[in-house]
Amino acid sequence: GQQVMQIPQYQHVQEGEDFTTYCNSSTTLSNIQWYKQRPGGHPVFLIQLVKSGEVKKQKRLTFQFGEAKKNSSLHITATQTTDVGTYFCAGQEAAGNKLTFGGGTRVLVKP
Amino acid sequence: GAVVSQHPSRVICKSGTSVKIECRSLDFQATTMFWYRQFPKQSLMLMATSNEGSKATYEQGVEKDKFLINHASLTLSTLTVTSAHPEDSSFYICSARKGARAEAFFGQGTRLTVV
């Protein structure tokens, strides 16, 4: 079945620095979504990418969808303490309505 | 944005008893809802897809007789953990989507502890 892998599993970042988390699917995707889960909370939708090579920005967050629609990345610039949490990518294939979640990247920010 | 409400947020039950968790979409109709299980510091594992008016679709390895799902209306799905055991202790979370390709709205989750 479809598998979605995320790296790194943990990301320790100094406040003010940039980092990137990567997401790879074993199959071609119809779309990919990104979610953020704060400690003790539930996942909250960040963005959806649909087109091959698509790039979207949300303030300090930049999301990219690979040309082959099998991988994606999230780049955060000038990390702040409010960025703490786990970032999940979730891929959906063309057939069916399931979202398959990656393992998540747990982000810890050092002030 | 759309709101999905899940209740209860925490429950402690004795081993052998059953626990029902409710998931409601408050401002939209959801023909499909999804139930996930999340272990500490791990990802969301899809347990089953709840379909309004029909049987749920369970993922491989999930016991349908243990995790009973009922989706009796367009705004309510329930997950009943039957004959709970300590290994069933986990964070259970539901989600609903407005469309087959739409974003997922998650409930607040239910932390189940079986003692």
Side-chain angles (χ1 to χ4, degrees), chain A residues 56-97:
Chain A
K56 286 189 177 180
K57 290 190 175 184
Q58 282 182 354
K59 297 182 179 178
R60 294 178 296 102
L61 278 60
T62 302
F63 303 84
Q64 187 167 7
F65 202 6
E67 293 291 339
K69 300 184 74 173
K70 294 183 71 174
N71 56 66
S72 180
S73 64
L74 161 59
H75 181 78
I76 299 182
T77 58
T79 304
Q80 300 176 358
T81 55
T82 52
D83 295 325
V84 166
T86 302
Y87 293 82
F88 292 101
C89 64
Q92 182 169 8
E93 295 177 309
N97 60 0

Side-chain angles (χ1 to χ4, degrees), chain A residues 30-31 33 35 37 42-43 45 48 88 92-94 96-99 101-103 106, chain B residues 32 34 36 38 41-44 46 59 91 93 97 100-104 106-108:
Chain A
S30 163
N31 69 82
Q33 301 178 11
Y35 293 80
Q37 184 176 22
H42 61 277
F45 174 79
Q48 176 174 268
F88 292 101
Q92 182 169 8
E93 295 177 309
N97 60 0
K98 287 194 303 186
L99 279 173
F101 282 79
R106 191 162 177 244
Chain B
T32 304
F34 303 87
Y36 296 85
Q38 187 176 35
K41 299 180 183 180
Q42 293 191 24
S43 188
L44 297 113
L46 180 65
E59 294 301 300
F91 188 62
I93 191 164
R97 303 167 75 182
R101 294 282 179 261
E103 67 199 80
F106 285 87
Q108 301 91 326

Side-chain angles (χ1 to χ4, degrees), chain A residues 16-29:
Chain A
E17 290 185 344
D18 305 349
F19 75 91
T20 303
T21 174
Y22 300 90
C23 177
N24 292 286
S25 170
S26 60
T27 59
T28 302
L29 300 172

